[in-house]
Amino acid sequence: MTAASRSLVSVFAARRVCLLRLQAHRSHLRSYSFLRTDHKVRNPLWHRVCSVSARQTTQYRSEVAEMNRNNGSAYLQVLGLGLDTADAVPSVLLFFDHQRYIFNAGEGFQRFCVQHKLKLNRMPNILVTRASLDAVGGIPGMVLTVADSSISHQNHDGLGSVGNFHADIYGPKGIEHLGKAMSFYMRMKGVNLHELQPAAPSEPDAVNESTQLIPEAAVSSAIIQNEAVSITPVILQPGSEGAESQPNKRQKTDDGSLPTGQEQDKAPLAACYICCLTSTPGKFLPQKAKELGVKPGPLFGQLKAGTAVMGKDRMVQPEEVLEAAPAAPVVIIADCPSPAHLPALLSSSAWEPFLHHASSSEAAASKSSTHQKVNCIVHLAPQQVVQMPQYQQWMAGFGTSTKQVVLNCEAVPSAVTLPSPATLQIKLNCIDPKAFPLPQTLGPDSSTAVPTEVQLQQSDSISKLQGSNLLRYNLRPASRVDTVETAEQSLSIPTIQGQLRTEMPEVMEAVERGQAEACSPSEEIPDVITQAGAEELEVVFLGTGAAMPSKYRNVTSIYINRFLRGGMLLDCGEGTLGQLTRRFGRAKVKDIVCSLACVWVSHIHADHHAGLPRILAARAEWLGPDCSALPVFGPWCLERILHTTAAMQPMPHLFFNQAGLLAEPQHEPSQEMQAAVSQVKAQLGLKTLQSLLVVHCAHAYAAILEGESGWKVVFSGDTRPCEQMVHAAKDATLLIHEATFEDELVEDALAKRHSLTYEAVQIGAQSGAYRTILTHFSQRYPKIPKIEKSFLTTTCIAFDLMSINLKDLPQLPSHVPAATLLCKDVSEEGDNIPEA
């Protein structure tokens, strides 16, 4: 047997293996001795086949599906991330039975997927419209989560530790900086970044000084082309208003920042995507096939598949027994981030096949009649761009048969993207309105936008479709094409709170008992609390979960609010900016971020710092050219991540190694660091700003803050219980301690160097802290851990958006009984990132 023959037999043997594996659904497979006896082939899959278990059947079902795909369903779906908080560019999902394509993945993307039960490991293709943090901020967390679940799944099955994770990320120039930054804290095996370059500019003709140079949009070839879809990017290169004779030359100021007068420098490349679905065969006509002498059975299937078969006396071609194929659907993801990109968008020749021509000439009329229909266009441009007459004219050019959806916070002002945590917050508000304020993105005043109908120019030539979270535009099957489904959930605060009072009266009874106990405290209240003003100190928990976000808990971040003095962040997990917006509202969050005195990061694990670049970039955007560098204190390895990410988007900051904040640093801090620390302490009115080494990973720290008025706040970061924490928290006004695992999970706590619930409570008791708040809960367990009754007088449980004023510390423990009753029936099933 020749080598070619052996190879062919091996291929068929492998195919047969896959088919047999599929037949053994959820059971052990039969013997596959044919691989050695019938075919006399030494197949490399043999040893794996003999040990295949029911758990692996899903994988091989996918292999068979790869051989013969049939994408009978297809739709475009709005994933309204950022529509309520304006911290991310909305995402769009292009769905097929066997493929998924995600356009943009801003911060909070994986939490959004958990909320709406979208499986991250089914989304290996990410296409980015902007190389900016509002479009890519969720990719690192998404990759980490799916890769980790893939590796753990493989380990569980005994098939190795590498895992089978794979992701392709496409985006305009600048996306490579994201990959470099990610490589500093995760393994990038299986992650491929594809940078979409604009076409090389041709030599410009001689022009007058008054002539404005308008760059052409670069139309690339298809970057994805398969049996389901062809996706072609259109790269938009921003224009340079008032450009000199070298419009593409980037110039920088002496300090390395981009000049504010250069429109081109301020706006990086952007990308639009034209998605052309492949055509499907027309309806099969069995009666016609019979008339041509084709017998029913397998021959019908061959005709449906496009293969000619023998009829009564001649070959029958498929087109003879099939109706005309319906037009293949086309959708466009259009993103024009700024007016600087508009000339490139309008001048692109990529839209020519789809645009109507408004000329009365016969040639133009003929060309217009043969244009290709676009079923739906999703516009991600900000409202200031969408409102421009030139943009409106471009939209009208596609005709009234094209449905056009505008996605931005102004066009969709009432979106509720995370209904479950919002509902929980509304219920907690009944326990204590001050400690659990309502999300500011829910109220009627959370957006200053006027209705879409007023903002958008009304035109009979534009067929507008009101955008909403989870809006679905069907593309297949043919019977449902161009139909729309909506699934957005609205929340009524009075209704939810009314149902709580009616259906769970025991919660309100516990609230009343807690209020009565708070009015007659049995312990002495420290003078620093009784003498504090209403705007002395507030601690806001922006994220209280560990490792990855869940439905009810975001990853770690705490905002220390000193009111008129500004504030600081203790850790800054992914989605911190969105959580600040939910707590303070879209108008006030700008003041909060711009008045930050510093950011303090406990250690290098991504759930504690992945949201920092977005905070820094938003601050730079809001403060403009006068933005000063924000001090960032963190482990030394964080500096490389920030430096690399800053190449993608301006984010002025001054990084300082946490080691310089130790009580006894190994090396004398630089004069620059000493000046920065003094500046932070002066702005925030701090007597002490200090770090403490703890027992977790390398370079893991706790924070010690002491106010000039006498209060003391200690934050443990991630740690095992240790003597240095007891000493540091001695007589603290407030100890914030991680309690990742429940008391039974001793082995997990030891292996991952985290604390159990009772261990965290004991640290607070041993140190004599007045109040202890537990946070950083594992996402695998209920939202509220069990606490021994003997510790309830001093301990409280943190929730996302919980805001504790210094004056309200005495009442904290009284919230626990009511919160426990409230959460007892809330199921956590499905809250974690779902597996395949």
Side-chain angles (χ1 to χ4, degrees):
M1 182 180 291
T2 65
S5 300
R6 285 196 299 271
S7 177
L8 183 61
V9 171
S10 180
V11 169
F12 281 108
R15 180 184 175 91
R16 188 174 178 187
V17 168
C18 293
L19 291 173
L20 286 171
R21 287 169 177 167
L22 179 61
Q23 293 170 3
H25 178 54
R26 300 192 182 284
S27 64
H28 288 282
L29 300 182
R30 304 181 184 90
S31 171
Y32 297 103
S33 58
F34 72 90
L35 287 173
R36 293 188 297 187
T37 57
D38 295 347
H39 291 272
K40 307 295 183 185
V41 175
R42 293 182 59 82
N43 193 291
L45 292 176
W46 167 254
H47 296 290
R48 286 185 63 189
V49 170
C50 294
S51 62
V52 169
S53 65
R55 178 183 288 273
Q56 295 169 263
T57 305
T58 302
Q59 176 182 349
Y60 301 116
R61 186 186 300 115
S62 299
E63 294 177 11
V64 176
E66 287 283 339
M67 298 178 183
N68 183 22
R69 293 188 175 187
N70 179 22
N71 285 299
S73 299
Y75 58 79
L76 199 68
Q77 187 166 32
V78 171
L79 307 183
L81 187 69
L83 288 177
D84 54 345
T85 55
D87 64 322
V89 181
S91 301
V92 180
L93 167 65
L94 180 57
F95 174 94
F96 298 93
D97 289 333
H98 302 292
Q99 293 110 328
R100 314 284 192 276
Y101 301 96
I102 287 292
F103 299 89
N104 295 328
E107 281 196 2
F109 182 78
Q110 61 174 322
R111 189 183 188 195
F112 181 94
C113 290
V114 170
Q115 167 72 88
H116 299 290
K117 299 183 179 179
L118 303 173
K119 296 186 177 181
L120 288 176
N121 49 5
R122 300 286 183 87
M123 304 176 189
N125 302 288
I126 306 172
L127 299 96
V128 177
T129 63
R130 313 176 192 177
S132 58
L133 292 166
D134 54 354
V136 304
I139 292 179
M142 172 185 175
V143 170
L144 268 175
T145 298
V146 180
D148 287 349
S149 65
S150 173
I151 291 173
S152 62
H153 180 76
Q154 293 290 322
N155 284 334
H156 184 79
D157 288 343
L159 297 178
S161 60
V162 176
N164 58 0
F165 174 70
H166 177 81
D168 284 291
I169 304 171
Y170 303 83
K173 181 175 176 57
I175 196 73
E176 78 279 6
H177 300 301
L178 173 71
K180 291 178 182 177
M182 290 167 59
S183 67
F184 290 129
Y185 57 94
M186 69 175 73
R187 287 187 290 179
M188 294 290 287
K189 184 174 182 178
V191 180
N192 303 311
L193 276 85
H194 308 270
E195 186 180 87
L196 307 178
Q197 295 281 359
S202 58
E203 285 296 325
D205 299 330
V207 293
N208 299 327
E209 292 184 0
S210 60
T211 303
Q212 183 179 3
L213 298 175
I214 299 178
E216 283 283 339
V219 184
S220 307
S221 57
I223 54 174
I224 294 175
Q225 193 160 11
N226 52 43
E227 69 281 0
V229 66
S230 172
I231 301 179
T232 303
V234 181
I235 307 301
L236 305 183
Q237 192 164 5
S240 55
E241 297 179 0
E244 300 295 335
S245 59
Q246 297 180 356
N248 293 322
K249 184 176 180 181
R250 292 177 62 85
Q251 302 176 359
K252 293 187 177 182
T253 58
D254 293 337
D255 63 356
S257 62
L258 299 176
T260 59
Q262 300 272 346
E263 193 71 24
Q264 180 181 3
D265 283 350
K266 291 175 66 176
L269 298 179
C272 303
Y273 295 93
I274 302 174
C275 309
C276 300
L277 278 64
T278 54
S279 59
T280 56
K283 183 179 179 181
F284 179 66
L285 304 173
Q287 188 59 37
K288 181 68 173 178
K290 291 177 183 178
E291 293 174 359
L292 293 175
V294 181
K295 294 182 179 180
L299 295 181
F300 276 21
Q302 294 181 36
L303 285 171
K304 293 178 183 179
T307 304
V309 301
M310 190 66 191
K312 187 175 183 180
D313 51 9
R314 66 178 180 85
M315 294 296 293
V316 177
Q317 301 299 323
E319 55 266 22
E320 296 182 74
V321 295
L322 295 174
E323 291 183 348
V330 177
V331 295
I332 294 175
I333 310 299
D335 191 3
C336 185
S338 72
H341 294 86
L342 191 54
L345 178 78
L346 301 178
S347 63
S348 174
S349 59
W351 320 119
E352 283 299 317
F354 312 108
L355 291 174
H356 291 261
H357 297 270
S359 173
S360 59
S361 66
E362 292 184 5
S366 174
K367 190 173 182 180
S368 177
S369 63
T370 59
H371 80 282
Q372 187 174 357
K373 174 189 173 182
V374 177
N375 296 68
C376 183
I377 303 178
V378 178
H379 301 271
L380 303 178
Q383 199 68 3
Q384 63 163 339
V385 175
V386 175
Q387 289 176 310
M388 297 178 69
Q390 302 96 313
Y391 196 91
Q392 292 277 304
Q393 185 177 1
W394 179 74
M395 293 174 66
F398 292 93
T400 56
S401 61
T402 298
K403 295 294 184 182
Q404 312 215 28
V405 184
V406 177
L407 291 182
N408 57 57
C409 334
E410 289 78 18
V412 192
S414 58
V416 180
T417 59
L418 298 175
S420 293
T423 300
L424 177 61
Q425 189 72 11
I426 293 171
K427 293 178 179 179
L428 287 170
N429 180 258
C430 292
I431 297 176
D432 186 344
K434 292 177 64 178
F436 305 105
L438 293 172
Q440 296 302 297
T441 52
L442 292 181
D445 298 329
S446 61
S447 172
T448 57
V450 295
T452 304
E453 290 75 8
V454 177
Q455 290 193 345
L456 292 179
Q457 297 180 12
Q458 297 301 311
S459 173
D460 294 335
S461 59
I462 302 176
S463 180
K464 296 168 187 168
L465 180 62
Q466 176 60 51
S468 62
N469 184 36
L470 302 181
L471 173 75
R472 178 183 294 188
Y473 190 92
N474 293 308
L475 302 170
R476 283 196 179 128
S479 59
R480 301 176 62 190
V481 68
D482 293 334
T483 60
V484 178
E485 301 174 31
T486 58
E488 186 173 22
Q489 181 177 351
S490 59
L491 300 179
S492 169
I493 296 174
T495 300
I496 293 172
Q497 293 186 340
Q499 289 176 346
L500 172 65
R501 293 185 174 94
T502 303
E503 298 173 5
M504 302 186 71
E506 66 275 15
V507 173
M508 304 314 299
E509 293 172 2
V511 170
E512 293 176 0
R513 288 195 298 270
Q515 291 174 345
E517 294 173 1
C519 292
S520 55
S522 57
E523 60 181 343
E524 183 179 352
I525 301 176
D527 293 341
V528 68
I529 295 177
T530 57
Q531 297 173 6
E535 295 190 352
E536 173 63 29
L537 173 69
E538 182 184 48
V539 179
V540 181
F541 291 85
L542 303 173
T544 56
M548 61 186 181
S550 72
K551 185 188 295 185
Y552 296 100
R553 293 189 184 276
N554 198 47
V555 285
T556 301
S557 184
I558 299 171
Y559 175 59
I560 302 297
N561 187 6
R562 292 285 278 144
F563 298 94
L564 295 179
R565 289 178 175 268
M568 67 178 290
L569 289 172
L570 299 176
D571 280 334
C572 192
E574 178 188 334
T576 293
L577 181 59
Q579 291 291 85
L580 279 170
T581 306
R582 292 183 179 94
R583 169 60 184 88
F584 294 103
R586 282 165 49 190
K588 192 176 179 181
V589 73
K590 295 184 179 181
D591 295 332
I592 295 292
V593 172
C594 293
S595 63
L596 284 174
C598 71
V599 178
W600 182 96
V601 177
S602 61
H603 62 288
I604 197 58
H605 289 165
D607 57 317
H608 293 256
H609 67 76
L612 178 55
R614 184 71 184 97
I615 288 286
L616 295 175
R619 180 176 175 271
E621 177 185 350
W622 291 333
L623 286 176
D626 298 327
C627 179
S628 59
L630 182 69
V632 175
F633 304 98
W636 67 267
C637 31
L638 179 62
E639 182 178 13
R640 298 183 301 173
I641 299 172
L642 295 178
H643 176 76
T644 305
T645 309
M648 181 168 58
Q649 192 169 351
M651 34 187 281
H653 65 280
L654 287 174
F655 180 84
F656 299 107
N657 192 335
Q658 283 275 39
L661 288 178
L662 295 173
E664 297 180 358
Q666 195 171 16
H667 303 285
E668 182 72 17
S670 65
Q671 291 184 354
E672 186 181 24
M673 181 174 184
Q674 293 181 37
V677 172
S678 298
Q679 179 183 346
V680 171
K681 291 166 66 175
Q683 178 181 337
L684 297 181
L686 298 179
K687 182 173 61 177
T688 302
L689 172 58
Q690 197 174 101
S691 293
L692 172 75
L693 279 169
V694 291
V695 183
H696 185 53
C697 63
H699 314 291
Y701 298 88
I704 305 169
L705 307 177
E706 291 187 72
E708 294 174 345
S709 60
W711 52 262
K712 180 179 179 181
V713 175
V714 178
F715 172 51
S716 70
D718 286 7
T719 184
R720 286 288 300 148
C722 53
E723 285 300 322
Q724 55 264 41
M725 272 302 303
V726 175
H727 177 74
K730 182 175 177 58
D731 298 327
T733 313
L734 175 62
L735 169 63
I736 304 170
H737 203 289
E738 71 118 296
T740 305
F741 293 108
E742 291 189 326
D743 296 345
E744 309 84 50
L745 301 169
V746 178
E747 292 183 1
D748 286 345
L750 292 173
K752 298 183 179 181
R753 295 190 174 186
H754 284 296
S755 298
L756 302 174
T757 301
Y758 86 90
E759 291 175 330
V761 173
Q762 284 183 336
I763 292 293
Q766 293 171 13
S767 65
Y770 175 68
R771 290 290 182 260
T772 300
I773 299 183
L774 305 183
T775 186
H776 198 267
F777 303 110
S778 171
Q779 311 291 23
R780 294 178 292 174
Y781 309 110
K783 295 184 298 301
I784 187 162
K786 299 176 183 178
I787 301 177
E788 294 183 18
K789 291 184 177 180
S790 57
F791 294 111
L792 282 179
T793 57
T794 61
T795 307
C796 185
I797 309 298
F799 290 88
D800 280 19
L801 306 187
M802 186 172 82
S803 303
I804 304 302
N805 193 287
L806 180 63
K807 291 187 69 66
D808 297 328
L809 278 180
Q811 290 81 39
L812 266 187
S814 65
H815 299 153
V816 176
T820 303
L821 291 171
L822 176 63
C823 298
K824 69 177 181 180
D825 293 328
V826 180
S827 171
E828 291 287 322
E829 182 180 357
D831 284 358
N832 296 317
I833 301 295
E835 297 182 0

